[in-house]
Each structure stands twice: as C-alpha cells, then as structure tokens.
Amino acid sequence: MHIVWALLLLTLESAPGCSCLPTNGNSIQNTVDSLIYIAQTTLVHIKELRTNLPVATHIEVRTPSIDGLTSISRDLGLLTIELQNLFTELLSQIQADVSSLEGLVRYFAQTMGCPIQARPRGTATVHLFPDSQISMTLMKVQCYLDTLLLHKDKLKVC
C-alpha cells in the first residue's frame, strides 16, 4: 500500500505543468489571502464594537503610507502597542486580531527576505479621556486596514 502512495506522489511531482502540489506562487497568494481575510475580519469586529460605543465627534486620522511588508509590519506593531496601552475587555478581540495580523506579516516578510526591524516597544501611557482615546485608536486601526486593503498589492513587495 505504501508503494502505491509513493508511486502516486512521484507521478504527481514529475507531471509537467501539474498544479496539484503547492508552488511558491500559490504559497505567496495563500498568505496574502490570509492577510486580507484577517484585515477584513478585524474591520468587521471594529464596526461591531463602534456600534456599542458612545458616538464620538468626527475624528480625522492620517494613516502612514503603505510601501510594503517592512512598513506594514512596523505600522501594525505600533498599532498593537497602542491597543495594548488601552487594554480593556472591549478591545481584546481587536488587539488579538491586529497582533495576529502583525505576526503573520512579520513572518511573511522574513520568508520573502525583506528587512524587518525589531518589534516596536511601547510604554503604558495614561489617558485622561479613555473613551475618546479608544474611539481615536479604533479609527486609526480602521483607517489603516481600509488603506491596506486598497493597497493589497503592497503585500507582495518588501
């Protein structure tokens, strides 16, 4: 029985143009698709959470430019720190989502041979108006992920 499986595997590997087995291109696209899925899921979580928060006045947020995996990794690391500084039970899912996204981007960048900086470090800060800070941080994350999805082609370059 083992011989049959070995012969089948050998046949598949040697077949010209066979797309049955994953290739580097498929692996890259699968990872990019996973990153996009996590970003979209996080946006859904943010929108659900924002419906339960008090309505904040219009907050304008500028997002950094998205140049490639190196800058995305850095920016997601900074957002993760900001979410950790605001740690409340309300933000635990968003914090987990952004942290997972940052970890996957970092790993993907390393496998692509991109230069990666050390994870940013942050210190706990005291916020005088925690509700406003939560709204502003959620808006930052939402705007960044919206921008990331608009520039998802940058997930394939360093």
Side-chain angles (χ1 to χ4, degrees):
M1 184 66 163
H2 295 289
I3 295 173
V4 172
W5 285 112
L7 289 173
L8 179 62
L9 183 61
L10 184 62
T11 304
L12 287 174
E13 287 179 353
S14 63
C18 178
S19 60
C20 303
L21 298 175
T23 62
N24 191 23
N26 288 342
S27 177
I28 290 171
Q29 189 58 49
N30 288 342
T31 303
V32 169
D33 290 343
S34 295
L35 292 168
I36 290 168
Y37 177 76
I38 294 170
Q40 291 171 333
T41 303
T42 305
L43 286 170
V44 169
H45 291 152
I46 290 171
K47 289 174 184 170
E48 287 175 1
L49 180 60
R50 291 189 63 187
T51 61
N52 297 327
L53 291 175
V55 177
T57 58
H58 179 69
I59 300 172
E60 191 170 320
V61 177
R62 293 184 183 208
T63 58
S65 65
I66 295 178
D67 301 320
L69 292 168
T70 301
S71 68
I72 295 168
S73 175
R74 181 197 64 235
D75 297 337
L76 289 172
L78 293 171
L79 288 172
T80 298
I81 290 170
E82 192 166 337
L83 287 164
Q84 288 170 344
N85 284 338
L86 292 173
F87 188 75
T88 69
E89 193 60 36
L90 288 173
L91 296 178
S92 61
Q93 182 62 55
I94 285 76
Q95 180 187 12
D97 291 346
V98 173
S99 181
S100 295
L101 186 59
E102 188 265 338
L104 185 56
V105 167
R106 179 173 287 279
Y107 173 76
F108 185 48
Q110 289 172 340
T111 60
M112 297 280 289
C114 301
I116 294 294
Q117 302 168 351
R119 279 196 165 99
R121 295 181 188 250
T123 58
T125 55
V126 177
H127 303 287
L128 298 176
F129 303 104
D131 289 341
S132 298
Q133 190 63 41
I134 288 171
S135 293
M136 189 163 68
T137 300
L138 284 175
M139 184 58 74
K140 277 184 185 178
V141 175
Q142 182 177 358
C143 287
Y144 188 80
L145 293 178
D146 283 336
T147 304
L148 177 64
L149 291 175
L150 287 174
H151 300 283
K152 58 188 169 195
D153 57 314
K154 300 293 184 174
L155 291 169
K156 295 181 180 180
V157 297
C158 291

